[in-house]
Amino acid sequence: MNPVFKIITALLALILAAGIGLSVALAALYVHYAPTLPEADAVRDVRLQTPLQVRSADGRLMGEFAEERRIPVPIDAIPQQVRDAFIAAEDERFYDHPGVDVMGLARAALNLVSTGGQRTQGGSTITMQLARNIFLTRDRTYERKLREIFLAIRLEQEMSKDEILELYLNKIYLGQRAYGIEAASRVYFGRSLEDLELDEIATLAALPKAPSTTNPVASPERAEIRRNYVLRRMLETGAIDEAAFETAVSRPVLSERHTAATEIDAHWVAEMARQMVVNLWGDEAYRRGLQVHTTIDSRQQEAANQALREGLLEYDERHGFRGPEMRIPEATLDDSDARERALKAIGIHGRLLFPAVMLGLDEDGTLRVDGGRIGEQTILPEDREWAGSPDFARGDVIRIRPYTDGRWRLAQKPEVTGAVIAQAPEDGAITALAGGFDFFENRYDRTTQAQRQPGSAFKPLVYALALREGYRPEGTVIDAPMVFNDPALGAEWRPQNYTRRFHGETTLREALANSRNLASIRLLDRLGTGNVHQELTRFGLDLETQPNNLSMVLGTGTLTPLQLNNAYGVFASGGRLNSPWIITRIETVDGEVLYEAPTERACPAPCSSPRGQDLPLVASSGPLQYTDPTPVLQPGVAWQMSEMLHGVITSGTGRRALELGRSDLAGKTGTTNNYRDAWFAGFNADLVATAWIGFDDNRELGRRESGGRAALPIWTRFMGSVLADEPERPLERPDDLVRVAILPNGQRAPSDNTPGARNQWLLPHQIPERGHVIPGSNGDSGSQQPELVF
């Protein structure tokens, strides 16, 4: 036999034996690992994590929360060029191999030998990557690689290539917490896949190799190198032509991280809802695709945002310009691209205040500025007059805001802050909530977390309890100087009226309308501080935050804007106390209802999900779930208070609200010592709203910055916007009131036609017998506790 033939035969036998041995070994390994591998059907059932979404009452997106950002898309909705890019970059023979690319593995093995055991090149196919991403760990061991190979083969046997590619493109991690190509497209470019250019598609396809270090946000330079590699592979595989390649590689890599595009600015509410849902389901809430529907009215929410921001800016302008925020270096200033990047890094404040860099000052006083993304703008002298004559220099960074007729106005980030809260009186549903100027600057929610003194805005609660005890709106008290020695106050106390004047005998109606402190203190003294203190629970207040002394009526305790607003809701609702609430319904991404508030706002009767009453939605802070209202005042008392508070607007401290031209509004101003807090709370039959303004560090607002000047304009701007096209809705007079003729001295008239008598709507217990004086009608000082010193 020919020696060469013998050698060849021996080699073939050796190769055959090695092949058989390898096959037997692989078969044995497969038998060993097969029981531990998941079935292919389990792959189809893998839930692609979808984010928690919070929506307004009309379905508009207010917030999106997720550990991972995912937006699953079916294969037929994925552009062909996107598929081609990933196949060219990751697995050129995807449609030809059985799950494992032998040539690719061989190439990786040779690379392993040539580099002395260093794994610098992989041989994973798209199917193998899918197997690893879904079921296996990322440990770089030979055992894990074998399991990956076996699972890939199983997947290929039981799934189509398009099924595998679809799942892969929706599962793969692409950096910036984005999983899947649609989520990555939104994160990096702010657009959907179908709107991307070729170079942007290639940028996404370049990410699987090293998503954390080569993404266009973290490293544009590395991203460009890897992107160009993908484009070259697409050219080599025939997916694109030379012209498309040249055009794409010539384009710069431009990307910034885009957050979920909310449709309405209600981030404080969205955060409340997130906390409540996570309290129930933990981190699983971020993965179940829960849809949380709230009570927020998107039109009212937008009005609240605008009213608060405008009011804070108006206050800020009254107190002068504090100077430029910073200065841009000359080298940056001379480079328009660098200038735009610097302004983009500074960011827009509250969706309203744009950063701009000073370019020059014209002879007529017009400022020329560059606003980056909004281009070059001019600020006319009259649009910066409020700032005086600061010494602007080229390169100074200021803030500007859109004004009227396309003009821009000089502005600055306000240091003062505030809150606006609105509720529906019939059930306590929160319809609008603005917790500050900019959620992303400071997430502290002043509506539910800021414990502040309400000042005179607290007085109506005491007056309502007086009416409940038999006093009437036209009853009188003495408005005169007094000095108290009260151990509870700790020192001699000489209260004063805001105007420093005294008015003698005055009706409760007039005392409330003009916020007379001395008359209010005497009224509380008559009622008894201990009695009134205990009754404050009728308004949903925490007694521990309210002082049990005569200063209570002046609002020296603390409460949140939401608590005050909810208390005023007792008047607006006809005497019922509601629990504030925001969540109407929670459902899965498939439409399964997990919770429905048992009220018509969430589900017209009969409710489809009565188990909603049993769901413990209580959060650690902020609004609770819906509960049925509780009657706490007679309807007649609530109506009398609405009439008295209407007088605050028609003839008292709230007269600025007359500019709305409505006769159905009622409310009260509030100002605290040294002008630290300014309030206005008010309502009609459809809406109760409160505006507050102050500093987070409790410093003074400044002289004359009262509730009527600082807070009432915010309230009127909000209510004017919300009620602009709505008919007037005063509270209807309830049936428990009786019209009675009362003489000037407080006695009941012998008849309705008695000269000098005035008809009043009173509750039965407020009506005196004929010839008798009713409480609070003759100016008697009442109880002498604490001791009065004259």
Side-chain angles (χ1 to χ4, degrees):
M1 183 180 291
N2 190 323
V4 176
F5 182 75
K6 288 182 178 181
I7 294 173
I8 294 175
T9 301
L11 286 175
L12 289 174
L14 182 63
I15 293 172
L16 180 60
I20 293 173
L22 180 61
S23 299
V24 171
L26 288 175
L29 287 171
Y30 183 81
V31 170
H32 173 72
Y33 287 117
T36 66
L37 298 176
E39 297 295 331
D41 284 344
V43 177
R44 297 186 178 93
D45 293 335
V46 170
R47 179 185 298 169
L48 294 176
Q49 297 175 12
T50 51
L52 163 68
Q53 293 188 331
V54 182
R55 297 187 177 276
S56 64
D58 54 349
R60 298 176 68 185
L61 182 65
M62 303 193 306
E64 185 173 277
F65 306 93
E67 293 176 334
E68 305 170 355
R69 291 197 62 182
R70 294 185 185 274
I71 308 174
V73 287
I75 190 67
D76 55 6
I78 299 174
Q80 185 61 49
Q81 205 165 55
V82 174
R83 303 184 221 179
D84 292 341
F86 277 87
I87 290 172
E90 296 296 319
D91 189 358
E92 178 184 351
R93 287 176 289 277
F94 171 70
Y95 281 101
D96 300 321
H97 62 64
V100 178
D101 186 350
V102 177
M103 293 178 61
L105 286 176
R107 185 171 57 249
L110 290 173
N111 180 264
L112 186 66
V113 173
S114 64
T115 57
Q118 295 183 359
R119 299 181 180 90
T120 62
Q121 182 173 336
S124 293
T125 64
I126 282 177
T127 314
M128 291 167 65
Q129 291 181 50
L130 175 62
R132 179 174 65 243
N133 289 339
I134 293 181
F135 296 111
L136 305 175
T137 69
R138 296 190 68 86
D139 297 334
R140 303 185 75 173
T141 64
Y142 295 111
E143 180 183 6
R144 194 270 298 161
K145 196 68 175 179
L146 281 171
R147 291 166 57 86
E148 181 182 309
I149 291 171
F150 293 147
L151 180 55
I153 294 171
R154 175 177 288 181
L155 294 179
E156 289 275 354
Q157 290 174 342
E158 301 189 28
M159 296 178 66
S160 70
K161 287 288 187 178
D162 280 352
E163 284 182 301
I164 292 171
L165 184 61
E166 176 182 317
L167 200 54
Y168 169 79
L169 292 177
N170 280 302
K171 276 289 293 184
I172 191 167
Y173 177 59
L174 297 174
Q176 298 293 329
R177 295 173 60 189
Y179 287 77
I181 50 176
E182 181 66 23
S185 178
R186 304 281 184 90
V187 167
Y188 292 115
F189 303 111
R191 303 193 306 281
S192 182
L193 277 174
E194 60 190 21
D195 298 321
L196 296 187
E197 301 291 339
L198 173 60
D199 63 297
E200 295 168 328
I201 290 172
T203 300
L204 295 185
L207 291 171
K209 182 176 178 62
S212 298
T213 58
T214 62
N215 73 68
V217 171
S219 179
E221 297 82 6
R222 291 181 180 178
E224 183 174 355
I225 293 171
R226 182 67 181 167
R227 179 206 67 180
N228 291 347
Y229 163 79
V230 174
L231 289 169
R232 192 174 306 108
R233 291 291 299 126
M234 292 182 73
L235 177 64
E236 292 169 356
T237 59
I240 58 174
D241 59 24
E242 186 71 33
F245 171 79
E246 293 295 340
T247 299
V249 296
S250 67
R251 299 186 64 178
V253 172
L254 297 176
S255 176
E256 60 181 286
R257 192 177 189 278
H258 295 78
T259 57
T262 56
E263 298 172 290
I264 178 173
D265 183 359
H267 297 290
W268 279 284
V269 181
E271 174 60 18
M272 283 182 204
R274 182 198 68 80
Q275 291 179 12
M276 295 165 74
V277 174
V278 171
N279 282 349
L280 289 172
W281 286 288
D283 290 344
E284 182 67 16
Y286 299 125
R287 300 187 285 269
R288 297 184 63 182
L290 298 182
Q291 297 287 305
V292 181
H293 299 271
T294 70
T295 57
I296 293 298
D297 181 304
S298 59
R299 187 170 67 92
Q300 290 187 27
Q301 181 63 38
E302 290 171 352
N305 292 335
Q306 182 176 358
L308 180 60
R309 288 168 181 159
E310 290 290 340
L312 297 181
L313 289 171
E314 286 177 359
Y315 168 90
D316 201 60
E317 289 189 5
R318 287 198 297 272
H319 293 267
F321 186 61
R322 294 185 295 276
E325 284 189 22
M326 58 183 293
R327 176 168 292 180
I328 288 180
E330 195 67 30
T332 303
L333 194 61
D334 291 336
D335 184 335
S336 60
D337 290 338
R339 198 164 65 213
E340 181 172 352
R341 286 195 297 271
L343 292 172
K344 183 182 293 185
I346 295 171
I348 304 170
H349 185 61
R351 298 191 176 188
L352 181 65
L353 305 183
F354 292 77
V357 59
M358 271 286 302
L359 298 180
L361 179 63
D362 295 341
E363 292 183 0
D364 65 354
T366 298
L367 292 181
R368 288 182 289 104
V369 301
D370 178 14
R373 69 185 70 190
I374 59 173
E376 293 190 11
Q377 304 292 338
T378 56
I379 310 298
L380 300 178
E382 57 265 34
D383 294 329
R384 65 181 186 91
E385 184 178 7
W386 66 270
S389 302
D391 293 327
F392 288 117
R394 177 177 162 83
D396 283 345
V397 174
I398 58 175
R399 295 279 175 172
I400 61 175
R401 63 183 175 111
Y403 198 42
T404 58
D405 302 326
R407 288 157 48 193
W408 290 79
R409 183 176 180 85
L410 177 66
Q412 62 187 353
K413 292 169 64 173
E415 294 180 342
V416 71
T417 189
V420 171
I421 179 74
Q423 291 173 266
E426 69 268 19
D427 61 2
I430 295 175
T431 54
L433 186 154
F437 194 93
D438 187 343
F439 174 83
F440 296 103
E441 182 88 1
N442 187 334
R443 300 190 176 194
Y444 180 58
D445 178 11
R446 286 92 184 166
T447 62
T448 63
Q449 296 175 297
Q451 289 281 344
R452 309 291 296 214
Q453 291 185 335
S456 292
F458 189 86
K459 289 175 182 173
L461 310 189
V462 176
Y463 278 68
L465 295 174
L467 298 181
R468 181 176 175 273
E469 291 301 313
Y471 289 77
R472 60 187 177 88
E474 303 304 329
T476 58
V477 288
I478 297 296
D479 184 62
M482 48 190 168
V483 179
F484 292 97
N485 286 329
D486 186 351
L489 296 174
E492 187 178 86
W493 183 40
R494 298 173 180 268
Q496 297 284 336
N497 285 331
Y498 178 79
T499 60
R500 304 285 178 176
R501 293 183 292 180
F502 316 106
H503 300 83
E505 189 174 78
T506 183
T507 66
L508 270 65
R509 184 186 302 276
E510 186 180 0
L512 184 61
N514 293 285
S515 203
R516 290 175 182 161
N517 293 340
L518 297 173
S520 301
I521 292 169
R522 287 184 186 271
L523 178 63
L524 175 57
D525 184 35
R526 287 184 189 175
L527 296 170
T529 56
N531 295 332
V532 170
H533 188 262
Q534 287 300 119
E535 292 295 314
L536 293 178
T537 56
R538 291 180 177 273
F539 300 98
L541 300 187
D542 180 0
L543 298 186
E544 293 185 0
T545 66
Q546 305 304 319
N548 192 1
N549 58 49
L550 290 173
S551 73
M552 170 181 25
V553 72
L554 304 184
T556 57
T558 61
L559 42 68
T560 66
L562 176 58
Q563 288 174 320
L564 182 65
N565 198 65
N566 202 58
Y568 272 61
V570 172
F571 306 140
S573 66
R576 296 171 300 162
L577 175 65
N578 289 295
S579 293
W581 61 291
I582 59 170
I583 294 182
T584 58
R585 188 172 75 259
I586 303 173
E587 58 189 18
T588 67
V589 70
D590 299 322
E592 178 190 358
V593 176
L594 302 179
Y595 168 77
E596 236 172 11
T599 170
E600 288 189 9
R601 183 181 295 272
C603 50
C607 283
S608 63
S609 181
R611 58 178 187 273
Q613 296 188 29
D614 302 322
L615 188 61
L617 275 180
V618 180
S620 57
S621 64
L624 310 180
Q625 68 188 100
Y626 170 84
T627 59
D628 291 331
T630 304
V632 294
L633 289 179
Q634 302 96 318
V637 169
W639 184 85
Q640 288 174 335
M641 283 305 305
S642 73
E643 289 294 294
M644 293 172 68
L645 291 171
H646 177 61
V648 173
I649 290 176
T650 57
S651 60
T653 58
R655 285 188 293 273
R656 179 163 181 168
L658 290 173
E659 67 187 40
L660 296 180
R662 300 181 68 96
S663 62
D664 62 338
L665 301 178
K668 182 70 182 76
T669 53
T671 310
T672 59
N673 281 344
N674 300 317
Y675 301 95
R676 297 182 190 277
D677 300 89
W679 299 79
F680 192 86
F683 57 89
N684 71 355
D686 289 329
L687 190 65
V688 54
T690 293
W692 167 81
I693 181 173
F695 286 98
D696 284 338
D697 60 7
N698 207 33
R699 76 179 108 142
E700 297 177 12
L701 288 167
R703 184 165 177 77
R704 298 185 64 191
E705 293 291 355
S706 63
R709 188 185 194 202
L712 180 54
I714 297 174
W715 187 87
T716 55
R717 185 176 283 114
F718 170 71
M719 294 293 275
S721 175
V722 170
L723 301 177
D725 300 320
E726 300 296 327
E728 292 195 352
R729 281 269 289 142
L731 267 67
E732 294 184 8
R733 188 175 62 247
D735 295 335
D736 59 347
L737 292 171
V738 180
R739 190 172 68 174
V740 181
I742 302 294
L743 294 171
N745 65 359
Q747 295 181 356
R748 183 175 182 181
S751 70
D752 291 347
N753 299 321
T754 301
R758 294 183 58 186
N759 289 324
Q760 300 176 21
W761 289 99
L762 303 177
L763 290 160
H765 71 284
Q766 296 172 330
I767 302 172
E769 297 181 11
R770 285 183 172 83
H772 289 73
V773 179
I774 62 175
S777 65
N778 61 359
D780 178 62
S781 61
S783 167
Q784 295 299 308
Q785 295 180 357
E787 177 187 1
L788 274 69
V789 181
F790 297 97

